Amino acid sequence: MKQVDVLIVEDEEPKFIHLEKYLNELGNNLKITNARSVDSALNALEDNTPDLLILDMSLPTFDITDNEAGGRPQGFGGTEILRTMSVEDMECPTIVITGYPAFQKETGKTVKLDELSQELKKEFPKFLKGILHFNSTFSEWRVSLKRILEEEGLLKEINENINS
């Protein structure tokens, strides 16, 4: 049985650890990799289309290192990745998980997560499966993530024993 290849695009280590830990609690058939910026996510997607993409919305342009500050912070960096996926016809099931309940657009208008969810689902109907609000204090994101994985048939794949 092939492992389920999951790419988590998340620049904040604590959030990545929460997501990785929860996915591993759901099943033992995962290969999880991490990209920490728009640039590294696009490079990872160019190299290999995963079975599941978990995507943060707010990302730095480049990976933050001792020598790199990350470039321009992008409040809608996840949208840039989604648009590239659309242009490249990558139909990888994608779930956006963000810690922000609202986003400020370049026009200055604040867009709540519900509105953003509707906009993005309309723009990317082929592969965007859901948008969740992440808060490590509450478990709603876990319930929603599990529900989406069940609906997409991915939870069964994640639970498959590697040796079966």
mmCIF file of all heavy atoms in Angstrom, residues 77-99:
data_model
loop_
_atom_site.group_PDB
_atom_site.id
_atom_site.type_symbol
_atom_site.label_atom_id
_atom_site.label_comp_id
_atom_site.label_asym_id
_atom_site.label_seq_id
_atom_site.Cartn_x
_atom_site.Cartn_y
_atom_site.Cartn_z
ATOM 1 N N GLY A 77 -0.461 34.685 0.733
ATOM 2 C CA GLY A 77 0.508 33.801 0.084
ATOM 3 C C GLY A 77 -0.110 32.473 -0.323
ATOM 4 O O GLY A 77 0.229 31.904 -1.357
ATOM 5 N N GLY A 78 -1.031 31.986 0.481
ATOM 6 C CA GLY A 78 -1.724 30.743 0.144
ATOM 7 C C GLY A 78 -2.510 30.876 -1.146
ATOM 8 O O GLY A 78 -2.574 29.936 -1.945
ATOM 9 N N THR A 79 -3.095 32.047 -1.374
ATOM 10 C CA THR A 79 -3.841 32.278 -2.613
ATOM 11 C C THR A 79 -2.917 32.230 -3.818
ATOM 12 O O THR A 79 -3.277 31.701 -4.878
ATOM 13 C CB THR A 79 -4.578 33.635 -2.555
ATOM 14 O OG1 THR A 79 -5.424 33.643 -1.411
ATOM 15 C CG2 THR A 79 -5.420 33.845 -3.790
ATOM 16 N N GLU A 80 -1.710 32.757 -3.677
ATOM 17 C CA GLU A 80 -0.736 32.694 -4.772
ATOM 18 C C GLU A 80 -0.433 31.239 -5.123
ATOM 19 O O GLU A 80 -0.354 30.866 -6.300
ATOM 20 C CB GLU A 80 0.549 33.420 -4.378
ATOM 21 C CG GLU A 80 1.582 33.427 -5.474
ATOM 22 C CD GLU A 80 2.839 34.198 -5.118
ATOM 23 O OE1 GLU A 80 2.781 35.120 -4.289
ATOM 24 O OE2 GLU A 80 3.891 33.867 -5.706
ATOM 25 N N ILE A 81 -0.292 30.400 -4.105
ATOM 26 C CA ILE A 81 -0.034 28.972 -4.335
ATOM 27 C C ILE A 81 -1.240 28.324 -5.017
ATOM 28 O O ILE A 81 -1.085 27.570 -5.978
ATOM 29 C CB ILE A 81 0.318 28.276 -3.005
ATOM 30 C CG1 ILE A 81 1.665 28.800 -2.496
ATOM 31 C CG2 ILE A 81 0.344 26.760 -3.171
ATOM 32 C CD1 ILE A 81 1.980 28.456 -1.063
ATOM 33 N N LEU A 82 -2.446 28.639 -4.554
ATOM 34 C CA LEU A 82 -3.658 28.085 -5.169
ATOM 35 C C LEU A 82 -3.769 28.490 -6.637
ATOM 36 O O LEU A 82 -4.124 27.668 -7.490
ATOM 37 C CB LEU A 82 -4.900 28.550 -4.406
ATOM 38 C CG LEU A 82 -5.069 28.019 -2.982
ATOM 39 C CD1 LEU A 82 -6.194 28.760 -2.265
ATOM 40 C CD2 LEU A 82 -5.323 26.519 -2.990
ATOM 41 N N ARG A 83 -3.452 29.729 -6.932
ATOM 42 C CA ARG A 83 -3.544 30.204 -8.327
ATOM 43 C C ARG A 83 -2.512 29.502 -9.213
ATOM 44 O O ARG A 83 -2.812 29.153 -10.356
ATOM 45 C CB ARG A 83 -3.377 31.720 -8.384
ATOM 46 C CG ARG A 83 -4.607 32.415 -7.840
ATOM 47 C CD ARG A 83 -4.658 33.888 -8.147
ATOM 48 N NE ARG A 83 -5.932 34.413 -7.663
ATOM 49 C CZ ARG A 83 -6.064 35.418 -6.819
ATOM 50 N NH1 ARG A 83 -4.991 36.055 -6.371
ATOM 51 N NH2 ARG A 83 -7.262 35.812 -6.422
ATOM 52 N N THR A 84 -1.328 29.307 -8.694
ATOM 53 C CA THR A 84 -0.314 28.576 -9.454
ATOM 54 C C THR A 84 -0.772 27.145 -9.698
ATOM 55 O O THR A 84 -0.629 26.617 -10.815
ATOM 56 C CB THR A 84 1.041 28.593 -8.721
ATOM 57 O OG1 THR A 84 1.459 29.950 -8.566
ATOM 58 C CG2 THR A 84 2.100 27.813 -9.487
ATOM 59 N N MET A 85 -1.343 26.519 -8.693
ATOM 60 C CA MET A 85 -1.853 25.158 -8.853
ATOM 61 C C MET A 85 -2.929 25.114 -9.931
ATOM 62 O O MET A 85 -2.961 24.181 -10.744
ATOM 63 C CB MET A 85 -2.411 24.643 -7.522
ATOM 64 C CG MET A 85 -1.366 24.373 -6.479
ATOM 65 S SD MET A 85 -2.074 23.986 -4.869
ATOM 66 C CE MET A 85 -2.998 22.496 -5.220
ATOM 67 N N SER A 86 -3.792 26.100 -9.949
ATOM 68 C CA SER A 86 -4.869 26.157 -10.932
ATOM 69 C C SER A 86 -4.312 26.294 -12.348
ATOM 70 O O SER A 86 -4.727 25.580 -13.269
ATOM 71 C CB SER A 86 -5.804 27.322 -10.608
ATOM 72 O OG SER A 86 -6.875 27.371 -11.509
ATOM 73 N N VAL A 87 -3.354 27.198 -12.527
ATOM 74 C CA VAL A 87 -2.734 27.412 -13.836
ATOM 75 C C VAL A 87 -2.014 26.156 -14.314
ATOM 76 O O VAL A 87 -2.046 25.801 -15.487
ATOM 77 C CB VAL A 87 -1.761 28.615 -13.790
ATOM 78 C CG1 VAL A 87 -0.886 28.684 -15.019
ATOM 79 C CG2 VAL A 87 -2.530 29.905 -13.603
ATOM 80 N N GLU A 88 -1.373 25.453 -13.383
ATOM 81 C CA GLU A 88 -0.600 24.248 -13.711
ATOM 82 C C GLU A 88 -1.468 22.987 -13.747
ATOM 83 O O GLU A 88 -0.955 21.888 -13.934
ATOM 84 C CB GLU A 88 0.534 24.053 -12.685
ATOM 85 C CG GLU A 88 1.529 25.188 -12.631
ATOM 86 C CD GLU A 88 2.429 25.240 -13.854
ATOM 87 O OE1 GLU A 88 2.730 24.178 -14.428
ATOM 88 O OE2 GLU A 88 2.823 26.353 -14.242
ATOM 89 N N ASP A 89 -2.784 23.122 -13.537
ATOM 90 C CA ASP A 89 -3.726 21.991 -13.510
ATOM 91 C C ASP A 89 -3.368 20.935 -12.475
ATOM 92 O O ASP A 89 -3.515 19.736 -12.725
ATOM 93 C CB ASP A 89 -3.841 21.343 -14.902
ATOM 94 C CG ASP A 89 -4.674 22.175 -15.849
ATOM 95 O OD1 ASP A 89 -5.597 22.873 -15.373
ATOM 96 O OD2 ASP A 89 -4.404 22.141 -17.061
ATOM 97 N N MET A 90 -2.894 21.367 -11.309
ATOM 98 C CA MET A 90 -2.633 20.446 -10.200
ATOM 99 C C MET A 90 -3.940 20.303 -9.420
ATOM 100 O O MET A 90 -4.415 21.275 -8.850
ATOM 101 C CB MET A 90 -1.568 21.009 -9.260
ATOM 102 C CG MET A 90 -0.217 21.078 -9.824
ATOM 103 S SD MET A 90 0.903 21.747 -8.560
ATOM 104 C CE MET A 90 2.182 22.392 -9.591
ATOM 105 N N GLU A 91 -4.493 19.120 -9.434
ATOM 106 C CA GLU A 91 -5.763 18.917 -8.757
ATOM 107 C C GLU A 91 -5.576 18.132 -7.465
ATOM 108 O O GLU A 91 -6.288 17.176 -7.198
ATOM 109 C CB GLU A 91 -6.763 18.265 -9.701
ATOM 110 C CG GLU A 91 -7.154 19.199 -10.819
ATOM 111 C CD GLU A 91 -8.307 18.692 -11.649
ATOM 112 O OE1 GLU A 91 -9.046 17.813 -11.184
ATOM 113 O OE2 GLU A 91 -8.446 19.193 -12.778
ATOM 114 N N CYS A 92 -4.632 18.550 -6.687
ATOM 115 C CA CYS A 92 -4.363 17.938 -5.391
ATOM 116 C C CYS A 92 -5.400 18.427 -4.378
ATOM 117 O O CYS A 92 -5.598 19.631 -4.234
ATOM 118 C CB CYS A 92 -2.962 18.354 -4.964
ATOM 119 S SG CYS A 92 -2.585 18.030 -3.263
ATOM 120 N N PRO A 93 -6.081 17.514 -3.665
ATOM 121 C CA PRO A 93 -7.012 17.973 -2.637
ATOM 122 C C PRO A 93 -6.292 18.894 -1.654
ATOM 123 O O PRO A 93 -5.242 18.547 -1.121
ATOM 124 C CB PRO A 93 -7.459 16.683 -1.945
ATOM 125 C CG PRO A 93 -7.119 15.585 -2.888
ATOM 126 C CD PRO A 93 -5.959 16.067 -3.704
ATOM 127 N N THR A 94 -6.863 20.078 -1.446
ATOM 128 C CA THR A 94 -6.208 21.104 -0.646
ATOM 129 C C THR A 94 -7.152 21.598 0.447
ATOM 130 O O THR A 94 -8.328 21.849 0.195
ATOM 131 C CB THR A 94 -5.786 22.286 -1.538
ATOM 132 O OG1 THR A 94 -4.906 21.796 -2.555
ATOM 133 C CG2 THR A 94 -5.094 23.370 -0.741
ATOM 134 N N ILE A 95 -6.597 21.738 1.642
ATOM 135 C CA ILE A 95 -7.322 22.285 2.783
ATOM 136 C C ILE A 95 -6.514 23.454 3.317
ATOM 137 O O ILE A 95 -5.340 23.302 3.646
ATOM 138 C CB ILE A 95 -7.525 21.229 3.887
ATOM 139 C CG1 ILE A 95 -8.281 20.011 3.329
ATOM 140 C CG2 ILE A 95 -8.263 21.833 5.076
ATOM 141 C CD1 ILE A 95 -8.282 18.808 4.253
ATOM 142 N N VAL A 96 -7.148 24.618 3.378
ATOM 143 C CA VAL A 96 -6.497 25.797 3.940
ATOM 144 C C VAL A 96 -6.803 25.824 5.431
ATOM 145 O O VAL A 96 -7.960 25.708 5.837
ATOM 146 C CB VAL A 96 -7.002 27.089 3.262
ATOM 147 C CG1 VAL A 96 -6.466 28.327 3.980
ATOM 148 C CG2 VAL A 96 -6.598 27.117 1.794
ATOM 149 N N ILE A 97 -5.755 25.943 6.237
ATOM 150 C CA ILE A 97 -5.909 26.042 7.689
ATOM 151 C C ILE A 97 -5.154 27.287 8.137
ATOM 152 O O ILE A 97 -3.929 27.338 8.057
ATOM 153 C CB ILE A 97 -5.388 24.792 8.415
ATOM 154 C CG1 ILE A 97 -6.137 23.545 7.934
ATOM 155 C CG2 ILE A 97 -5.537 24.951 9.922
ATOM 156 C CD1 ILE A 97 -5.717 22.257 8.603
ATOM 157 N N THR A 98 -5.901 28.272 8.587
ATOM 158 C CA THR A 98 -5.299 29.552 8.954
ATOM 159 C C THR A 98 -5.620 29.919 10.400
ATOM 160 O O THR A 98 -6.676 29.574 10.906
ATOM 161 C CB THR A 98 -5.782 30.669 7.999
ATOM 162 O OG1 THR A 98 -5.166 31.889 8.389
ATOM 163 C CG2 THR A 98 -7.295 30.819 8.016
ATOM 164 N N GLY A 99 -4.703 30.622 11.005
ATOM 165 C CA GLY A 99 -4.901 31.083 12.376
ATOM 166 C C GLY A 99 -5.643 32.404 12.463
ATOM 167 O O GLY A 99 -5.968 32.860 13.555
#
